[in-house]
Amino acid sequence: NKRGTIGGTINVEINKEDDGCHMEIDEVYGGGNEAASNAGNLRIVRTGGNSEGIQYVYGGARDADVSGNITLNITGGRITEGLFGGNNVGHTVTGNITLDINWDNNSGANDSKYLKDVFGGGNNADVTGSTSINLKNGTVSNNIYGGGSQAHVSGNTSISLENGTVSNDVYGGGMQGNVGGNVTVNVSKANNTGTVTVGHDVYGGGALANTNTANFSLGANDAEDIDLTSDDSKHTVVNLYPKATIGHDVYGGGRGQAQNTYTPSGSDIPAIVYGNVTVYQYGAVLLASYNQEGLAESGRIFGCNNVYGSPKGHAKVYVKRTVSNSATNQILSTEANRMSATGTHTYQLAAVYGGGNQAEYTPFNANDFAEVFIDPDDCDSISIHSVYGGGNAAATPATKVTISGSYE
């Protein structure tokens, strides 16, 4: 609808029957076209076979204000381009968004399942509230973003991966869209009965986007101020639990873009985290690879950013436990003969950095530092090849490394 407010509750369900009819849908909305509405509930159950499905799903409206909390439940179907918790095109969702992905494995032979990208927020449309994404069972074939695409989320973002696969990256923030509040990324969970696989990187921050921006303000004479100490200060936390496998690296911060020989026509785009950042390693597996010099090129944990940008608060990596990859046992073959008389030596975690990867750490407080704390649960809990207080090809003003124990 283009006119007339929708005052009642909206419930939308897509559940294709096996009636022989072909179904292809460009866009599905939980709200209206250009008419304001209350928030609703949107459920995708079945969309048919491999040649059927929906291109885009939006929990909100196309271009209208939506008031109230939005719930999306994805138990099946093919969403071939993007799943968004909020609006498309414009206007604002005023409320919280919850997005649950829990594929039903017993939904029938004619229920093809596919999900490309997932955004907690909107597409070019802001959310005044918080977003929560819960992957309980299913596969995301590209990326998950806690925030929106070129759209801001003023509240908190939360991503919880309990069971399933994300084939590429996970971002606590948005894609070129800022997040104002706290950011929490949980890869697996304590005592998890499921398994989680992330194909590439995990970020606490956003992709070319800022997070924890509610901490930032301008004072007299446009002097910048960042609240890092009050009870209302926003922060970023990444938790890496057992029964999770990550195919590349983990970053407490976000991913920026730097103009260089690889992107000569591009511009510098930082990803700023305006809060304190903590990465907790409780026992996730990070798949390692090494160059000919024996330096890790994947399987690393960084407290700060990738490529460009920086946390403005304290950056800390806290390691409680490491776990071997059962398939490869994380063998560091390039250093095997040097490191062990038997010709083999293993490490469960390739490297930990307090700083960033080719991204300078520039905290707001001049006396702040990047920190690594190795604190094993017991004597045989931790095995790490290399620990660095600073970054990889990235400056860090000061560092602190504490190692209270490890077995190699």
Side-chain angles (χ1 to χ4, degrees), residues 258-335:
Q259 184 179 13
N260 54 37
T261 56
Y262 301 103
T263 57
S265 61
S267 58
D268 290 342
I269 304 176
I272 304 299
V273 181
Y274 286 98
N276 297 316
V277 174
T278 309
V279 180
Y280 293 97
Q281 162 63 315
Y282 294 112
V285 172
L286 279 77
L287 302 184
S289 64
Y290 301 85
N291 62 21
Q292 292 183 349
E293 287 73 38
L295 297 176
E297 295 183 325
S298 69
R300 306 167 295 183
I301 299 176
F302 295 87
C304 296
N305 279 31
N306 186 21
V307 181
Y308 193 52
S310 172
K312 292 301 178 182
H314 188 67
K316 182 176 182 178
V317 179
Y318 193 143
V319 180
K320 292 291 292 180
R321 179 176 290 273
T322 60
V323 177
S324 286
N325 172 21
S326 59
T328 66
N329 206 29
Q330 301 291 67
I331 296 174
L332 184 58
S333 58
T334 55
E335 286 193 346

Side-chain angles (χ1 to χ4, degrees), residues 292 294 331-347 385:
Q292 292 183 349
I331 296 174
L332 184 58
S333 58
T334 55
E335 286 193 346
N337 294 328
R338 295 203 303 270
M339 296 296 295
S340 172
T342 64
T344 61
H345 198 76
T346 63
Y347 299 93
H385 178 253

Side-chain angles (χ1 to χ4, degrees), residues 14 68 82 167 192 232 236 243 401:
I14 307 295
S167 298
N192 195 6
D232 293 328
T236 295
K243 294 195 174 181
V401 176

Side-chain angles (χ1 to χ4, degrees), residues 33-366:
N33 183 6
E34 297 178 8
S37 69
N38 288 335
N41 305 302
L42 195 155
R43 186 167 179 245
I44 309 295
V45 180
R46 288 158 55 98
T47 61
N50 291 334
S51 63
E52 301 175 276
I54 307 166
Q55 289 193 47
Y56 295 93
V57 172
Y58 301 90
R62 180 182 176 274
D63 191 9
D65 289 330
V66 176
S67 300
N69 298 329
I70 294 173
T71 301
L72 299 94
N73 288 289
I74 312 300
T75 63
R78 290 176 58 82
I79 303 173
T80 60
E81 294 298 333
L83 171 63
F84 293 83
N87 286 0
N88 184 22
V89 180
H91 283 77
T92 302
V93 172
T94 303
N96 299 325
I97 297 172
T98 300
L99 204 165
D100 288 332
I101 302 164
N102 192 7
W103 283 358
D104 180 1
N105 293 329
N106 299 310
S107 57
N110 196 34
D111 180 25
S112 176
K113 299 179 178 67
Y114 180 85
L115 183 53
K116 187 178 180 182
D117 284 297
V118 177
F119 296 85
N123 180 40
N124 293 290
D126 296 345
V127 174
T128 303
S130 298
T131 70
S132 177
I133 299 173
N134 306 299
L135 178 63
K136 299 178 180 179
N137 184 45
T139 297
V140 177
S141 294
N142 198 25
N143 301 322
I144 289 182
Y145 302 86
S149 174
Q150 300 183 48
H152 305 320
V153 173
S154 65
N156 306 325
T157 62
S158 173
I159 298 174
S160 293
L161 310 179
E162 298 180 19
N163 186 46
T165 298
V166 181
S167 298
N168 200 18
D169 295 333
V170 174
Y171 295 89
M175 182 177 73
Q176 295 182 294
N178 297 340
V179 172
N182 297 317
V183 176
T184 304
V185 177
N186 294 315
V187 184
S188 188
K189 64 179 182 179
N191 302 314
N192 195 6
T193 58
T195 59
V196 175
T197 300
V198 177
H200 203 246
D201 293 332
V202 173
Y203 295 88
L208 315 185
N210 302 329
T211 48
N212 303 150
T213 59
N215 291 341
F216 176 84
S217 63
L218 291 176
N221 300 317
D222 290 334
E224 293 186 0
D225 185 49
I226 301 176
D227 174 18
L228 298 170
T229 58
S230 78
D231 291 340
D232 293 328
S233 179
K234 310 306 178 185
H235 58 267
T236 295
V237 175
V238 178
N239 294 309
L240 310 173
Y241 290 104
K243 294 195 174 181
T245 300
I246 299 165
H248 203 252
D249 294 324
V250 173
Y251 299 89
R255 178 179 64 83
Q257 173 180 292
Q259 184 179 13
N260 54 37
T261 56
Y262 301 103
T263 57
S265 61
S267 58
D268 290 342
I269 304 176
I272 304 299
V273 181
Y274 286 98
N276 297 316
V277 174
T278 309
V279 180
Y280 293 97
Q281 162 63 315
Y282 294 112
V285 172
L286 279 77
L287 302 184
S289 64
Y290 301 85
N291 62 21
Q292 292 183 349
E293 287 73 38
L295 297 176
E297 295 183 325
S298 69
R300 306 167 295 183
I301 299 176
F302 295 87
C304 296
N305 279 31
N306 186 21
V307 181
Y308 193 52
S310 172
K312 292 301 178 182
H314 188 67
K316 182 176 182 178
V317 179
Y318 193 143
V319 180
K320 292 291 292 180
R321 179 176 290 273
T322 60
V323 177
S324 286
N325 172 21
S326 59
T328 66
N329 206 29
Q330 301 291 67
I331 296 174
L332 184 58
S333 58
T334 55
E335 286 193 346
N337 294 328
R338 295 203 303 270
M339 296 296 295
S340 172
T342 64
T344 61
H345 198 76
T346 63
Y347 299 93
Q348 294 176 341
L349 183 60
V352 176
Y353 294 83
N357 181 37
Q358 302 179 62
E360 181 181 1
Y361 174 45
T362 58
F364 179 69
N365 295 321

